[in-house]
Amino acid sequence: MYSKGIKEVFEALALGPREHLALVGGGGKTTLLFALARALRARGDRVVTTTTTKVWEPESRAAPCRVFAGAGPDWRDEVRRGLERYGHVFVGVRVLASEKVSGMPVEYLDDLFRERAVDFLLVEADGAARKPLKAPAPHEPVIPASATVVVALAGLDALGKPLSGDTVFRPERVAVVTGIAPGGKITAEGMTALFTSSAGLFKGCPDGARKIAFMNKLDIPNGPRHAEAVAQCLLASDVRPDRVVAASLAKGSYVLYEADHEGNI
């Protein structure tokens, strides 16, 4: 196995000229969503950010323009005008009494991705209650069928901690997927299982969509060692994702892990 540092987030994710990304898991989805939107805008791409679940209303204000589909039937025209003027539009249905923005139906997003005015559609497709680790419930995640890339996130700060509700969202599901008993230590092997199990983070990934395992919090103590341990397990797996990345979203740094040129792990 070898690793290399990468400067830009869209290079770390190996994105093509036009993509529909769904972000799932825990450990920094919203931060990645808007970091990627800023980087793509800086190179001139037109970007729509949105969610199929819910995001906090103040977080949606990271976009320079917001459009709410619940406000009327002309929301697609508003998106086109917003992209023309600002280049980045956040789309939701409405602001709820809970101060969250309700997510878009997947069929709306499949239709929106057909718009040639949209270069990149970035969707937060899962919720984790701000926990670094999770496993999906039966109704999760909510991924549009037109997604070309699914990025599954996990926080390296969960490793070595006990499997409990303090660290993990849906700990009972994580226990089933990883085989770690409640209260047991979260291991690199357990995190690998979340990335590779059919009931894990990539559950519901559309056929043909590329799978990217994304570990955040590389900047914590022992972060590089933890990331290397998980990457080693992932690259040795028979169901390895298409790409294995670790990052410090706080510092804007990214590392790609790959097998060596002989295919050795």
Side-chain angles (χ1 to χ4, degrees):
M1 182 180 76
Y2 70 96
S3 62
K4 59 181 178 181
I6 297 178
K7 182 178 179 181
E8 296 287 358
V9 59
F10 49 79
E11 294 174 348
L13 301 179
L15 299 183
R18 188 170 189 269
E19 302 273 19
H20 180 177
L21 278 76
L23 310 185
V24 301
K29 293 185 301 298
T30 305
T31 302
L32 177 58
L33 185 84
F34 288 111
L36 182 54
R38 288 191 297 271
L40 292 169
R41 274 302 300 141
R43 71 176 195 182
D45 293 305
R46 297 161 299 182
V47 183
V48 171
T49 48
T50 185
T51 180
T52 56
T53 57
K54 296 174 185 176
V55 298
W56 290 104
E57 188 273 339
E59 293 175 335
S60 71
R61 293 181 181 274
C65 175
R66 300 189 302 171
V67 172
F68 295 102
D74 298 330
W75 66 272
R76 290 179 182 83
D77 292 333
E78 291 185 47
V79 170
R80 295 186 198 100
R81 290 192 292 269
L83 287 173
E84 183 176 348
R85 181 174 181 182
Y86 300 101
H88 175 197
V89 176
F90 177 89
V91 181
V93 174
R94 60 180 57 86
V95 179
L96 304 172
S98 62
E99 298 185 356
K100 288 186 175 183
V101 177
S102 57
M104 296 286 286
V106 290
E107 59 271 18
Y108 282 27
L109 298 181
D110 290 330
D111 184 56
L112 187 59
F113 190 54
R114 298 186 187 100
E115 290 277 353
R116 302 313 299 180
V118 180
D119 295 319
F120 286 86
L121 179 54
L122 313 180
V123 182
E124 186 169 324
D126 204 4
R130 300 184 182 272
K131 299 294 196 303
L133 211 61
K134 74 163 292 182
H139 64 280
E140 297 174 316
V142 186
I143 302 175
S146 58
T148 60
V149 180
V150 175
V151 184
L153 285 84
L156 291 167
D157 49 329
L159 287 176
K161 293 183 179 176
L163 199 166
S164 72
D166 293 333
T167 303
V168 174
F169 187 56
R170 305 201 189 285
E172 70 287 350
R173 298 295 307 156
V174 173
V176 170
V177 173
T178 64
I180 300 171
K185 184 182 294 187
I186 299 168
T187 62
E189 292 78 11
M191 186 173 285
T192 298
L194 285 170
F195 282 120
T196 58
S197 169
S198 60
L201 297 176
F202 288 111
K203 183 168 75 71
C205 180
D207 291 341
R210 305 190 305 282
K211 299 177 181 179
I212 300 177
F214 192 102
M215 298 172 280
N216 189 25
K217 300 289 184 73
L218 191 61
D219 53 303
I220 65 170
N222 294 319
R225 182 171 62 84
H226 287 327
E228 289 172 9
V230 178
Q232 190 91 16
C233 293
L234 282 170
L235 292 174
S237 172
D238 292 335
V239 288
R240 71 172 73 171
D242 297 287
R243 204 163 176 87
V244 179
V245 176
S248 167
L249 288 173
K251 295 186 176 181
S253 59
Y254 308 90
V255 175
L256 172 68
Y257 297 93
E258 296 179 296
D260 66 24
H261 296 298
E262 285 73 41
N264 298 315
I265 306 304

